[in-house]
Amino acid sequence: MKELSIEERRGFLLKAASMIGISVCAGSMVAALSSCEKDESKIVATHGSFTVDISSESGLSAVGDGIKKSVGTYNASKPVIIIRTSDTSFMVVSSVCNHAG
């Protein structure tokens, strides 16, 4: 039997570790995706607008900052996540999973 060089052993170990990592990640991804409910009739879209006084929100003072805030009856009375994306722009997303509620 031929003895492998250090480079060949290192290459083998790197490939083996990569395959193990891919296997673990693939299993985790399948579990995460299958945990979401597939009933799309639970998605509730609401339209409208609301105002947030950003000067009173210290969590939105710098670009990249974000807060979780309730805004009345919007978002089924659940909090929304507000993220400052630039000096003059914000992104608002629901804190509720739109698949499983």
Side-chain angles (χ1 to χ4, degrees):
M1 205 163 121
K2 175 187 165 204
E3 188 172 319
L4 298 175
S5 70
I6 292 175
E7 290 80 23
E8 290 171 320
R9 281 186 286 207
R10 183 175 291 139
F12 170 78
L13 290 173
L14 286 172
K15 286 180 184 178
S18 296
M19 292 307 292
I20 290 170
I22 289 170
S23 298
V24 169
C25 288
S28 298
M29 189 60 122
V30 168
L33 290 176
S34 65
S35 68
C36 274
E37 190 172 301
K38 302 291 190 251
D39 183 6
E40 302 220 359
S41 66
K42 291 196 177 213
I43 297 172
V44 177
T46 59
H47 301 283
S49 63
F50 57 88
T51 303
V52 175
D53 180 9
I54 60 169
S55 65
S56 67
E57 298 293 344
S58 61
L60 293 172
S61 59
V63 174
D65 285 353
I67 61 169
K68 191 171 167 184
K69 183 169 183 70
S70 294
V71 286
T73 59
Y74 290 100
N75 197 40
S77 298
K78 305 287 185 194
V80 294
I81 299 166
I82 305 170
I83 302 165
R84 185 173 209 140
T85 56
S86 75
D87 287 335
T88 58
S89 299
F90 297 85
M91 178 174 55
V92 180
V93 294
S94 174
S95 63
V96 179
C97 174
N98 61 359
H99 292 101

